[in-house]
Amino acid sequence: LNFRDEVFGVTKDFSLYKEATCEKCDGNGAEPGAKVTTCSTCKGSGQVQRVVNSIFGQVAQAVVCSTCDGQGSIPSQKCKTCGGDGKLKRDTNIKVNVPAGIDDGETLRLQNQGEAGERGAGAGDLYLRIRITPDVRYKRKGADILSEVHLGIASAALGTKVEVETLDGLVSVKIPAGTQSGKVFRLGDKGVPHLRKRGRGDHLVTVVVDTPRKISGERKKLLKKLAELEGETVEE
């Protein structure tokens, strides 16, 4: 998923190659119209008793009937599509509703979307591990979203307004005069929805004051003058 899908949720369709119930025989393994009779070996129980020798003497065990493969019945003709297995491998289309606020590495359980059970028995469950593609603009910490805004020295000293890109659109943030690098501004209810309760986290904007690496002659004079006014010593 991308970062926005993670925050707001999304419905995804995908195809999975898995064992599915045979549609022709509905999973019972019998050709439609074939006569199904009770297994004479296990009398319909699907199990037979077997006596084995052990250090404690002879022990009776219940094992799967090999005549009917544990089904308790035998069709006069096996399904030609699945060969009597009641299931076969095929591509299956699956739709999943990913909830808003899910995090990277979490697992979703889709009931009855796993592989088909034996001879018409219910399907197992499908477990999906969620992976999130990182977004260069944001980071996530719990239900909060983190981002940065870069300012020049003058803007930080004199104050300004900046447009912060949030997942809900642009938000104007007033930066007061004298703001220091590392100052964090909190935009309430602009973060990630809580997965198991109402409300959202916040969007935390960290100010980064950029010091120029190369300074032109005129700017250099102005900065020197400012330093002199503040009583600072500047190396030539």
Side-chain angles (χ1 to χ4, degrees), residues 154-170:
S155 296
L158 301 175
T160 186
K161 281 186 177 181
V162 295
E163 296 293 317
V164 175
E165 186 176 5
T166 73
L167 289 170
D168 297 310
L170 293 176

Side-chain angles (χ1 to χ4, degrees), residues 20-32 71 79 81-82 84-88 90 116-122:
T21 299
C22 177
E23 295 179 346
K24 185 177 182 181
C25 67
D26 269 340
N28 64 17
E31 184 71 15
Q71 300 306 307
C79 176
T81 300
C82 64
D85 290 335
K87 55 185 179 179
L88 67 167
R90 70 177 181 207
E118 297 293 332
R119 300 289 177 86

Side-chain angles (χ1 to χ4, degrees), residues 12-17 91-97 110 113 126 128:
K12 287 282 188 180
D13 294 298
F14 63 97
S15 180
L16 180 66
Y17 186 68
D91 287 317
T92 304
N93 294 322
I94 296 175
K95 176 177 289 188
V96 55
N97 294 315
L110 304 185
Q113 294 290 349
L126 174 63
L128 297 179

